[in-house]
């Protein structure tokens, strides 16, 4: 999902108007949002406003030129105060530092008077030493500023992405909210499913024999295991897996799903990929049947090849039955029905899971 990062630009103002504009242009060209407070007067209230802007920004960039700047009540320049605040807030940051040759040329071109230079100021020297200890782009010419800004932002995106919140379009936000809602519902269903499995195991704890109807458990197990799906049914299954995994694990949507839910979903889809027999299918879909979350077409003639092959075998052994889908208007017939376990189906799954554990 494309994000725009807010980049706070800090510097002295009058001596660096052109350089600031170069940084602003570079930020805009990179598709992000420049922010700065150079047009506001200094003061206690203004510091509160600047603090809010830096807190809300994703990236901080300093332009260090020929001046240290006016001092605040703490005896340091407002520029250094902003720099220290960004470090305190652990903001991803970098600095554009004008070299001595660059500053000398500014004087030669009349862009700054020699009397206004503060590069010999002790506080400036100390501040510059502090700045040079972090990520710095030193520029000898104004043409180097844009590329330096672009490269630094890309480097921060690569190495500090976890600290970047960014801005997204409203339509993306709505999509994220919908994904969060579905993720919550899925988590609740998984918890409910686990509870149903426990209840089923409790109900069948006192099973005295291992017969499923008139057949032994081993006979049913072998029958389902030997009942291999046709190539057409396997093809349908694989196509379904590809569609579903693309919606959850592909590209931009992946980042909005919790790791726990993603691992459970991934485990389910991995099982689906490995389905070869009716037994494989039954093991994969056990929880969905318990949740009442497996719907198929009511008419057998309209079912997919996979549904026809699977349901025929499960009905043959008496493991499943169908329940009508409840509609708000009971006078209308549903085109689908829900697959549920019969008592023999529950017994079979209980014996199957018990044998796995042993």
């Amino acid at each position: 999902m494309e994000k725009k990062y807010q980049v706070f630009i800090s510097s002295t103002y009058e001596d660096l108007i052109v350089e600031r504009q170069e940084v602003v242009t570079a930020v805009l060209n990179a598709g992000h949002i420049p922010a700065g407070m150079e047009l506001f007067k200094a003061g206690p209230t203004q510091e509160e406003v600047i603090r809010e802007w830096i807190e809300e920004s994703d990236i901080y960039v300093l332009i260090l030129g020929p001046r240290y700047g006016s001092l605040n009540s703490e005896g340091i320049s407002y520029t250094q105060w902003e720099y220290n605040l960004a470090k305190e807030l652990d903001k991803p940051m970098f600095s554009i530092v004008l070299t001595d040759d660059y500053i000398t040329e500014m004087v030669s071109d009349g862009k700054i008077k020699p009397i206004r230079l503060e590069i010999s100021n002790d506080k400036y020297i100390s501040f510059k030493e502090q700045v040079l200890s972090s990520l710095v782009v030193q520029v000898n010419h104004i043409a180097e500023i844009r590329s330096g800004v672009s490269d630094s932002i890309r480097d921060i995106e690569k190495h500090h992405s976890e600290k970047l919140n960014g801005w997204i379009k409203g339509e993306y936000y709505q999509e994220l909210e919908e994904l969060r809602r579905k993720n919550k519902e899925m988590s609740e269903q998984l918890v409910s499913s686990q509870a149903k499995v426990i209840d089923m195991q409790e109900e069948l704890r006192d099973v005295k024999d291992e017969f499923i109807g008139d057949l032994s458990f081993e006979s049913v197990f072998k029958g389902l295991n030997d009942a291999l799906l046709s190539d057409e049914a396997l093809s349908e299954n694989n196509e379904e897996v590809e569609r579903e995994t693309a919606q959850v694990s592909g590209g931009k949507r992946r980042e909005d799903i919790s790791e726990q839910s993603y691992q459970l979903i991934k485990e389910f889809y991995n099982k689906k990929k490995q389905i070869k027999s009716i037994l494989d299918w039954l093991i994969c879909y056990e929880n969905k049947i318990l949740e009442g979350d497996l719907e198929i077409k009511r008419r057998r003639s309209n079912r997919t090849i996979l549904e026809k092959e699977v349901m025929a075998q499960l009905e043959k052994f008496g493991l499943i039955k169908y329940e009508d889908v409840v509609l708000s208007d009971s006078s209308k017939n549903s085109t689908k029905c829900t697959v549920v376990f019969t008592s023999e189906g529950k017994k079979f799954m209980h014996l199957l899971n018990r044998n796995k554990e042993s």
Side-chain angles (χ1 to χ4, degrees), residues 62 70 112 117 230 259 277 318:
L62 167 72
S70 57
I112 185 172
L117 292 177
S230 67
E259 187 61 27
S277 68

Side-chain angles (χ1 to χ4, degrees), residues 257-269:
I257 301 176
S258 69
E259 187 61 27
Q260 182 181 8
S261 294
Y262 176 71
Q263 292 303 327
L264 290 171
I265 297 167
K266 184 178 178 181
E267 180 181 352
F268 176 75
Y269 290 151

